[in-house]
């Protein structure tokens, strides 16, 4: 079994910063892609930023220049540095990872439980 645990959410004023963390643990042989998703109230979950399996990064247009994704492979952890936060960044942020598990060497997608970010105007 594999678990993803996010942390770092909270309440911040517009223009402020937060750093989210997501650590993967369990029966992990390797981790391919890791991503952050944002779900605003009443809306669908959307990709914010991610690492591809090849290690390159991609960002939603709405966060380019403000958010930075980084990764510590030794700790199986991905981070999301969020600067210049806006009220529309409010919502739950979910971590997602494609993990090759030890048991059968297959790749499975896992999700964290989410962490709430609230940006006040």
């Amino acid at each position: 079994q594999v678990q993803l645990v996010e942390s770092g959410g909270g309440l911040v004023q517009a223009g402020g910063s937060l750093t989210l963390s997501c650590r993967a643990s369990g029966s992990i042989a390797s981790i391919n892609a890791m991503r952050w998703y944002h779900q605003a109230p009443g809306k669908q979950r959307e990709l914010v930023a991610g690492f591809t399996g090849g290690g390159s990064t991609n960002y939603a247009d709405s966060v380019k220049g403000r958010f930075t994704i980084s990764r510590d492979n030794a700790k199986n952890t991905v981070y999301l540095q969020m600067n210049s936060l806006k009220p529309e960044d409010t919502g739950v942020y979910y971590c997602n990872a494609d993990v090759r598990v030890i048991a059968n060497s297959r790749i499975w997608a896992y999700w964290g439980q989410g962490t709430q970010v609230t940006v006040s105007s």
Side-chain angles (χ1 to χ4, degrees):
Q1 188 62 285
V2 173
Q3 299 82 35
L4 301 182
V5 179
E6 301 104 332
S7 62
L11 174 64
V12 64
Q13 288 188 330
S17 299
L18 283 174
T19 300
L20 306 183
S21 300
C22 170
R23 180 165 186 170
S25 62
S27 301
I28 298 170
S30 62
I31 300 177
N32 294 352
M34 296 189 81
R35 312 169 187 92
W36 285 99
Y37 284 78
H38 170 227
Q39 187 164 20
K43 295 190 177 181
Q44 290 187 331
R45 198 173 297 187
E46 296 181 339
L47 178 66
V48 172
F51 279 101
T52 68
S56 60
T57 58
N58 52 71
Y59 294 91
D61 288 342
S62 60
V63 306
K64 284 180 180 177
R66 300 190 298 122
F67 290 10
T68 302
I69 189 170
S70 60
R71 182 172 175 176
D72 185 335
N73 290 329
K75 296 181 179 179
N76 289 334
T77 299
V78 65
Y79 304 93
L80 186 67
Q81 173 68 44
M82 305 187 295
N83 298 327
S84 302
L85 282 161
K86 304 176 181 180
E88 52 263 44
D89 296 320
T90 293
V92 180
Y93 285 75
Y94 295 92
C95 177
N96 164 257
D98 297 335
V99 179
R100 186 179 300 277
V101 299
I102 294 174
N104 54 23
S105 294
R106 293 180 64 181
I107 297 175
W108 300 89
Y110 291 90
W111 291 88
Q113 82 287 350
T115 186
Q116 175 71 41
V117 171
T118 303
V119 184
S120 62
S121 57

